[in-house]
Amino acid sequence: MTKKKAVDKNLNSELVSAINKLLKEVMDNAEATLTDKCKVIDRALSLEKIKQKINDEEWGAGFLPPEEPEEA
């Protein structure tokens, strides 16, 4: 199983498809403003960040206090 397939199981596939479709439509639209295009790009980049965080088991581990060894 590839990394991409594992990510798709954790994210709403309809959301991923909608963002991909919106990105393509806005970029192809000659009447879309630069602001509109940048907003859609921002959404697509945010989705990619989420995908990377899902795949990174160590993400956020630095925010936890260090584990103290258990006394026996």
Side-chain angles (χ1 to χ4, degrees):
M1 179 181 294
T2 65
K3 211 179 224 188
K4 187 172 184 175
K5 287 182 182 178
V7 168
D8 290 341
K9 289 183 180 181
N10 294 321
L11 292 174
N12 184 334
S13 62
E14 291 177 10
L15 176 63
V16 173
S17 297
I19 291 175
N20 290 335
K21 181 180 175 187
L22 183 62
L23 180 64
K24 180 169 178 21
E25 288 176 359
V26 170
M27 291 303 167
D28 290 342
N29 185 350
E31 295 179 12
T33 66
L34 181 58
T35 303
D36 295 335
K37 291 180 181 186
C38 286
K39 286 180 181 179
V40 173
I41 289 171
D42 184 55
R43 297 298 183 263
L45 288 173
S46 295
L47 181 63
E48 290 303 315
K49 288 182 215 174
I50 292 169
K51 287 180 183 178
Q52 289 177 2
K53 289 175 185 175
I54 289 172
N55 287 329
D56 186 6
E57 304 250 340
E58 294 294 320
W59 187 87
F63 298 109
L64 299 174
E67 293 183 16
E68 297 179 12
E70 294 182 20
E71 295 179 24

